[in-house]
């Protein structure tokens, strides 16, 4: 086989390997991101509960203020009732007193209800805090694992870069430029095998003359349809 072609096949394989690291790194980071998202969601849940609790406390405070007002009003009514002159006045005062007491009852009930709601929220907050503690541990562990995994991947990638550098120093500059020109649009299918007399880049059948040239592999042959660099695998040659 042509020495240049051999080098290009090797280079294309190395380039493909180097390209495969990006999705590998993304997959590793995705692992951490999904756990971090869970952590963020829990923090948001806790903040939501605290916010609701705060709102309820504010409502309780308003009810308490209202109770003070209502109590004052009741005192007022009792003062007035001591000085009533007519039945009509007495009845009107009585009605006012009843309404005020109802309002008092309602305010007290609301305070109790809201306090109970907040107690439940406290329990939920404790649960979320427990979950957060657990997940923080997982986050720390995962970060360590991922650091290790990324370091390994980086090491592998460096090895391929080194191989590539070594190979590039040996490759003819014109041939390399040609390869890079095709690679711009063909990416990892710049150098493709011919199988069953078809280009494995565009999957079109190649003519007998080109096929014969590819089998001979004395020169660098490109696909007449797509322009990719072609080679024949040893097994294919025997057939
Ligand atoms: Zn082709």
């Amino acid at each position: 086989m042509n020495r240049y072609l051999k080098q290009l096949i090797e280079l294309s394989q190395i380039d493909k390997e180097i390209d495969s690291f990006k999705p590998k790194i993304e997959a590793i980071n995705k692992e951490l991101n999904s756990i971090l998202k869970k952590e963020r969601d829990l923090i948001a849940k806790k903040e939501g509960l605290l916010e609701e609790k705060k709102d309820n406390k504010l409502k309780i405070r308003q009810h308490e203020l209202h109770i003070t007002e209502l109590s004052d009003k009741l005192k007022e009514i009792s003062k007035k009732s001591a000085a009533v002159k007519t039945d009509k006045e007495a009845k009107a005062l009585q009605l006012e007193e009843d309404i005020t007491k109802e309002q008092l009852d309602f305010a007290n009930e609301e305070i109790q209800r809201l306090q109970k709601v907040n107690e439940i929220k406290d329990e939920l907050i404790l649960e979320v805090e427990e979950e957060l503690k657990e997940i923080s541990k997982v986050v720390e562990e995962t970060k360590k694992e991922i650091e290790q995994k990324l370091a390994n991947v980086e090491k592998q990638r460096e090895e391929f870069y080194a191989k590539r550098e070594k190979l590039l120093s040996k490759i003819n500059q014109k041939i390399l430029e040609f390869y890079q020109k095709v690679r711009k649009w063909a990416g990892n299918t710049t150098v493709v095998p011919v199988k069953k007399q078809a280009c494995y880049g565009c999957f079109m059948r190649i003519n007998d003359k080109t096929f014969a040239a590819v089998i001979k592999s004395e020169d660098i042959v490109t696909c007449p349809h797509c322009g990719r660099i072609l080679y024949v695998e040893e097994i294919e040659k025997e057939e």
Side-chain angles (χ1 to χ4, degrees):
M1 188 188 273
N2 179 302
R3 185 165 58 96
Y4 296 138
L5 180 61
K6 226 175 187 173
Q7 288 172 334
L8 286 188
I9 295 169
E10 199 189 339
L11 178 60
S12 73
Q13 278 159 355
I14 293 171
D15 279 341
K16 206 189 266 183
E17 286 290 346
I18 289 173
D19 279 353
S20 76
F21 282 106
K22 208 181 157 208
K24 274 183 207 162
I25 290 167
E26 276 169 6
I28 293 169
N29 283 325
K30 210 174 161 188
E31 218 180 297
L32 178 64
N33 286 340
S34 81
I35 299 168
L36 285 176
K37 190 188 175 296
K38 269 189 203 165
E39 193 183 35
R40 276 200 307 275
D41 287 348
L42 280 174
I43 291 170
K45 194 177 172 187
K46 188 184 160 185
E47 279 169 0
L49 285 165
L50 286 170
E51 198 57 38
E52 285 160 18
K53 242 187 93 180
K54 209 172 126 195
D55 281 350
N56 284 342
K57 274 188 181 164
L58 209 68
K59 282 181 196 158
I60 289 171
R61 184 73 200 122
Q62 280 162 353
H63 285 302
E64 281 169 349
L65 286 172
H66 196 204
I67 286 173
T68 314
E69 282 168 19
L70 292 168
S71 306
D72 288 346
K73 200 174 173 188
L74 276 182
K75 276 180 206 154
E76 213 46 31
I77 290 168
S78 112
K79 261 189 214 163
K80 275 185 194 167
S81 64
V84 288
K85 284 167 189 146
T86 64
D87 261 6
K88 201 182 165 193
E89 270 179 1
K91 263 184 193 161
L93 269 180
Q94 185 59 50
L95 188 66
E96 215 184 333
E97 190 183 344
D98 289 346
I99 291 169
T100 310
K101 279 180 176 166
E102 255 173 46
Q103 286 174 330
L104 257 178
D105 284 346
F106 177 75
N108 278 315
E109 276 163 22
E110 272 303 284
I111 287 172
Q112 271 185 357
R113 188 185 68 80
L114 290 167
Q115 277 169 343
K116 214 164 243 162
V117 169
N118 272 359
E119 275 168 25
I120 294 166
K121 290 204 189 295
D122 278 335
E123 279 166 28
L124 288 174
I125 288 167
L126 279 179
E127 276 173 28
V128 173
E129 277 172 348
E130 277 304 307
E131 279 178 71
L132 264 173
K133 253 188 230 164
E134 284 301 309
I135 210 143
S136 300
K137 265 189 230 160
V138 179
V139 166
E140 283 315 304
E141 281 163 16
T142 311
K143 269 185 187 166
K144 266 183 216 159
E145 274 172 33
I146 278 168
E147 238 170 68
Q148 192 59 47
K149 277 184 194 170
L150 286 177
N152 284 341
V153 166
E154 199 48 51
K155 205 180 144 206
Q156 285 170 22
R157 185 154 73 167
E158 289 301 325
E159 281 166 18
F160 278 105
Y161 274 130
K163 259 190 205 171
R164 191 174 189 273
E165 280 305 308
K166 207 175 152 195
L167 186 58
L168 285 186
S169 69
K170 288 188 283 186
I171 289 185
N172 172 292
Q173 197 55 32
K174 280 239 164 71
I175 300 276
L176 179 64
E177 275 167 20
F178 178 65
Y179 166 83
Q180 280 165 337
K181 211 172 113 192
V182 179
R183 193 174 152 77
K184 261 186 195 159
W185 60 267
N188 283 325
T189 62
T190 300
V191 183
V192 288
V194 173
K195 286 179 187 173
K196 297 190 173 76
Q197 211 175 322
C199 160
Y200 257 57
C202 67
F203 300 100
M204 302 254 290
R205 191 184 156 80
I206 55 171
N207 59 51
D208 292 344
K209 200 183 150 208
T210 310
F211 188 47
V214 178
I215 290 176
K216 248 186 172 180
S217 63
E218 276 173 1
D219 293 306
I220 295 208
V221 182
T222 55
C223 170
H225 308 289
C226 67
R228 287 181 175 89
I229 300 159
L230 301 174
Y231 70 95
V232 174
E233 283 167 339
E234 289 306 314
I235 309 157
E236 195 78 10
K237 262 189 209 174
E238 284 159 20
E239 282 176 0

